[in-house]
Amino acid sequence: MKQTWPLAFGFAVIVFSGVGAAAYTRPPPGRILTVKSSETDSHLQQVRISIVGSGQMLISWITKDKNIPSLVEYGKTPGLYDSSASGESTSHRFFFYTSGNIHHVEIGPLDANTTYYYRYYDILLLAGDLSYTDSQQPLWDSFALLVQPQASRRPWMVTQGNHEVESLFPIFRIRPFAAYNARWRMPFEQSSSTSNLFYSFDVAGGEAHVLMLGSYTEYGFKSQQYKWLKADLAKLDRTKKPWLLEIVHAPWHNTNDAHQREGEGMRKNVEKLLFDAKVGIVFAGHVHAYERFVSLV
């Protein structure tokens, strides 16, 4: 006896034929497969896309961190994301299970027959000492090759550290940041800075303003960095930019034995500006140990 079973798939109908087919016996269920993520709480996972109307797409993902904004940047050219959209996030509970933060962002209107590239708000802030070249120039190439898989997939925003200083001997500086400035060009001009060694930028849909300061360039009251920082802070509207972050290499407060008081000169000149501006978070490097401070004021 011949039987046929139509299977609708998309808009096509595929017909399977069989002759003398025996009765089908369903196999027993297999073991439950549990997959756990080893990524950090801020890492975006379980990304998926769905159609939500003519010319609109919905991008969804999950983060363990509840504070990651629901923001997607997109455009028609890789690396050029000239459009952005914000969405909403939610979570759910079932007895002892609590989900991560579930983000949904609708983008569009999108042009037909066009490839779009998109990214979420996920960047790396690096507080100096990128490659530890110490003037050994080939190490810049080795470092860049090693980090390429990561640095090509999310924005890396950096400032300089002491190991980026170019010198013949520890006391003779040739061109202090020639390789750094040539290789790691940051958006200093867009923030009205005069140097690649200090700049600022906005993220999270403009709600966060990030200050990238230079520990190894002039920071006195009459310096270009100080004048720029004062002007940059004066322009901020904190009702629109509630988050203000600072990144610097040499810490201004440090209880570790290493590098004690190396950032003291900059602290004396610059800290009050940031304190008065109500900077929310400061990230520093230099000391190879972890500690954090909370203001009691």
Side-chain angles (χ1 to χ4, degrees):
M1 186 176 94
K2 184 176 181 179
Q3 294 177 313
T4 61
W5 299 273
L7 173 64
F9 183 79
F11 298 104
V13 176
I14 304 175
V15 178
F16 295 92
S17 299
V19 178
Y24 175 75
T25 301
R26 181 176 179 174
R31 65 181 181 87
I32 295 177
L33 180 63
T34 301
V35 179
K36 293 185 178 181
S37 172
S38 60
E39 302 289 352
T40 62
D41 288 356
S42 62
H43 189 82
L44 289 77
Q45 53 188 298
Q46 303 179 42
V47 182
R48 54 197 180 277
I49 301 176
S50 53
I51 299 173
V52 290
S54 178
Q56 308 287 130
M57 298 290 287
L58 183 70
I59 301 177
S60 303
W61 71 94
I62 290 180
T63 59
K64 296 178 184 177
D65 191 335
K66 302 292 185 181
N67 298 313
I68 300 296
S70 302
L71 175 73
V72 172
E73 297 175 327
Y74 62 100
K76 298 179 181 179
T77 304
L80 180 60
Y81 310 101
D82 52 8
S83 299
S84 65
S86 297
E88 60 183 12
S89 63
T90 185
S91 62
H92 67 89
R93 299 183 63 182
F94 186 80
F95 290 97
F96 301 110
Y97 171 84
T98 301
S99 75
N101 219 30
I102 306 167
H103 304 261
H104 299 292
V105 177
E106 184 176 324
I107 65 173
L110 306 176
D111 296 335
N113 301 315
T114 303
T115 299
Y116 281 86
Y117 302 86
Y118 68 94
R119 66 179 180 185
Y120 334 93
Y121 170 49
D122 184 19
I123 66 174
L124 175 69
L125 302 175
L126 184 53
D129 284 356
L130 279 68
S131 58
Y132 277 74
T133 53
D134 292 319
S135 300
Q136 302 175 68
Q137 300 303 316
L139 293 183
W140 280 111
D141 297 310
S142 297
F143 174 75
L145 290 171
L146 286 171
V147 304
Q148 178 177 306
Q150 291 75 38
S152 62
R153 286 172 170 78
R154 69 173 67 176
W156 280 37
M157 308 304 289
V158 304
T159 188
Q160 84 281 175
N162 56 299
H163 290 282
E164 276 76 67
V165 177
E166 312 282 3
S167 59
L168 184 59
F169 298 104
I171 59 174
F172 296 110
R173 295 186 178 182
I174 309 301
R175 296 177 60 196
F177 297 101
Y180 172 85
N181 285 332
R183 292 171 178 265
W184 292 85
R185 186 175 179 85
M186 294 289 108
F188 70 95
E189 295 168 321
Q190 291 87 332
S191 60
S192 302
S193 170
T194 58
S195 170
N196 193 51
L197 302 179
F198 50 89
Y199 62 97
S200 65
F201 61 97
D202 292 338
V203 288
E207 293 188 359
H209 190 68
V210 184
L211 303 166
M212 306 294 284
L213 303 185
S215 294
Y216 302 98
T217 187
E218 294 296 325
Y219 44 72
F221 297 129
K222 296 182 179 181
S223 68
Q224 291 296 318
Q225 179 170 206
Y226 185 91
K227 293 177 181 178
W228 164 81
L229 178 60
K230 187 176 181 179
D232 189 76
L233 293 172
K235 293 185 295 186
L236 290 181
D237 182 350
R238 296 303 299 277
T239 63
K240 297 180 179 179
K241 301 182 188 300
W243 289 98
L244 182 56
L245 297 79
E246 178 215 339
I247 314 297
V248 69
H249 186 66
W252 299 345
H253 301 279
N254 167 36
T255 65
N256 196 277
D257 291 338
H259 303 300
Q260 270 293 325
R261 300 178 65 82
E262 290 187 14
E264 184 65 8
M266 189 176 191
R267 185 196 69 79
K268 288 181 177 179
N269 288 342
V270 178
E271 187 176 45
K272 188 176 187 304
L273 273 182
L274 301 178
F275 187 83
D276 291 344
K278 295 181 172 57
V279 169
I281 306 174
V282 177
F283 294 101
H286 206 35
V287 178
H288 295 208
Y290 172 79
E291 61 181 339
R292 61 184 180 182
F293 300 89
V294 178
S295 174
L296 299 178
V297 179

